[in-house]
Amino acid sequence: MRKDWLVFVAGHRGLAGSALCRALTGAGYERQLTRTHAELDLCDQAEVRAFFARHRPDVVILAAARVGGIHANATYPAEFIYQNLQIQNNVIDSAWRNGCKKLLFLGSSCIYPKLCPQPIKEEYLLTGALEPTNEAYALAKISGIKMCQAYRQQYGLDAISAMPTNLYGPNDNYHPQNSHVLPAFIRRFHEAKESGAESVTIWGTGKALREFLHVDDMAEACVFLLENYSDFEHVNVGSGVEHTIMDIARMVARVVGFAGEICTDTSRSDGTPRKLMDSGKLFGMGWKPRIALEQGLRDTYRAFLQSCPRS
């Protein structure tokens, strides 16, 4: 991938997209093209086709998506499947129609079956039933992978797909209902500390296992793949380390400075019981993550304090 190529980052304001812009700049890719949702509605086929015809980017990174945690996925399944399919269809097709030289589609580890063998290898895709609470989002992302493969097979588009594990870091969404588990914990433990609360209750048993990757590590992995990978199969992007949800809660409490009790609400779903990615394929290419979880949480909490979100 040439340093002078024009790179369009779709979704540049989000957690993943903003990190990708930082990683591209750090790697010497200064010609970056971005648009806010107000400037370009990626769900609008006519707008997207006109945009690509006008700018003809050499590289496209598709990080734009409708995202959220368990509550958001369960509450808005129609929006999650419709909007994500629209975004993917419009961007991938327009990239091909306008001479894109390289495309990276960013997916999610939720594409894999709920009761998948662990750690999860790329070939386990479509071998079992999905987790019901995020099925709509997962189906959209699976369709994105298959679309990239179809356009590679039929048209020769150099489209690759990266499937990151659970991400966290600066510029995350701290919405009290619709955020993912780590930013939700950061906000809830911070507010509990500020209010002097004696306890914080987390959803589920606390026994579910999760893997987390700092978003800057994910972004650097994506730039690495753009520069070094061109093949049909999607690639897992993870840290290779897992923790129980209770351990994560205790770690966040320690970073935030909350000293109260952590309780569990077992009437709430744990979601997928375990979800550890096998990132051996990526590690074998020569890339490894560099940010340890507690270090990353401290950096993320500092960024949270600067943003001071409110209900």
Side-chain angles (χ1 to χ4, degrees), residues 17 30-31 34 44 48 177-178 192 224 228 304:
E30 297 182 357
R31 296 189 65 215
T34 59
D44 188 312
V48 174
Q177 280 83 43
N178 296 339
F224 177 88
N228 296 281
F304 168 85

Side-chain angles (χ1 to χ4, degrees), residues 273-295:
R274 188 185 184 202
K275 194 166 62 173
L276 176 65
M277 305 275 272
D278 184 335
S279 298
K281 182 175 181 177
L282 176 60
F283 294 171
M285 295 180 210
W287 181 89
K288 292 287 179 66
R290 58 180 178 81
I291 303 172
L293 181 57
E294 189 150 352
Q295 172 198 337

Side-chain angles (χ1 to χ4, degrees), residues 40-295:
L40 176 63
D41 181 0
L42 295 176
C43 288
D44 188 312
Q45 184 184 72
E47 278 194 42
V48 174
R49 285 191 172 182
F51 170 81
F52 271 85
R54 185 181 314 119
H55 297 285
R56 299 182 66 85
D58 301 292
V59 180
V60 174
I61 302 177
L62 182 43
R66 173 72 181 263
V67 299
I70 291 176
H71 175 81
N73 274 270
T75 306
Y76 309 108
E79 284 92 336
F80 271 80
I81 194 165
Y82 176 79
Q83 293 178 11
N84 284 304
L85 286 173
Q86 289 291 94
I87 291 167
Q88 295 161 195
N89 291 345
N90 293 338
V91 171
I92 295 170
D93 184 72
S94 292
W96 163 69
R97 289 176 182 275
N98 290 278
C100 172
K101 299 179 179 69
K102 188 91 177 186
L103 182 144
L104 185 142
F105 172 70
L106 199 63
S108 166
S109 59
C110 73
I111 62 169
Y112 293 110
K114 176 178 181 176
L115 302 177
C116 208
Q118 304 287 321
I120 305 170
K121 300 179 182 292
E122 286 88 352
E123 57 261 36
Y124 296 162
L125 181 66
L126 296 176
T127 58
L130 298 166
E131 160 60 39
T133 55
N134 57 22
E135 184 180 61
Y137 179 73
L139 286 170
K141 289 299 178 181
I142 292 169
S143 296
I145 295 171
K146 294 302 179 182
M147 188 172 183
C148 286
Q149 292 174 346
Y151 274 62
R152 172 180 285 274
Q153 177 182 335
Q154 185 171 342
Y155 300 130
L157 175 64
D158 190 1
I160 61 175
S161 299
M163 297 300 117
T165 189
N166 302 293
L167 301 175
Y168 72 98
N171 205 28
D172 212 335
N173 169 27
Y174 297 96
H175 189 279
Q177 280 83 43
N178 296 339
S179 58
H180 287 102
V181 61
L182 261 181
F185 278 0
I186 288 173
R187 177 170 182 153
R188 288 166 62 195
F189 282 105
H190 170 78
E191 291 179 346
K193 181 187 76 169
E194 293 296 296
S195 67
E198 295 182 355
S199 66
V200 168
T201 299
I202 64 173
W203 284 16
T205 65
K207 296 178 181 179
L209 291 162
R210 290 294 181 271
E211 174 188 24
F212 292 94
L213 183 69
H214 194 283
V215 71
D216 285 339
D217 274 337
M218 180 281 303
E220 291 174 10
C222 287
V223 173
F224 177 88
L225 288 170
L226 283 166
E227 293 177 335
N228 296 281
Y229 184 71
S230 176
D231 212 337
F232 193 76
E233 190 177 49
H234 63 280
V235 179
N236 288 343
V237 181
S239 64
V241 180
E242 60 184 345
H243 304 266
T244 67
I245 292 296
M246 179 57 78
D247 286 343
I248 293 295
R250 289 171 179 150
M251 195 180 298
V252 172
R254 185 164 61 248
V255 166
V256 169
F258 173 76
E261 184 182 4
I262 302 174
C263 305
T264 58
D265 179 359
T266 56
S267 69
R268 300 284 191 169
S269 171
D270 276 334
T272 305
R274 188 185 184 202
K275 194 166 62 173
L276 176 65
M277 305 275 272
D278 184 335
S279 298
K281 182 175 181 177
L282 176 60
F283 294 171
M285 295 180 210
W287 181 89
K288 292 287 179 66
R290 58 180 178 81
I291 303 172
L293 181 57
E294 189 150 352
Q295 172 198 337

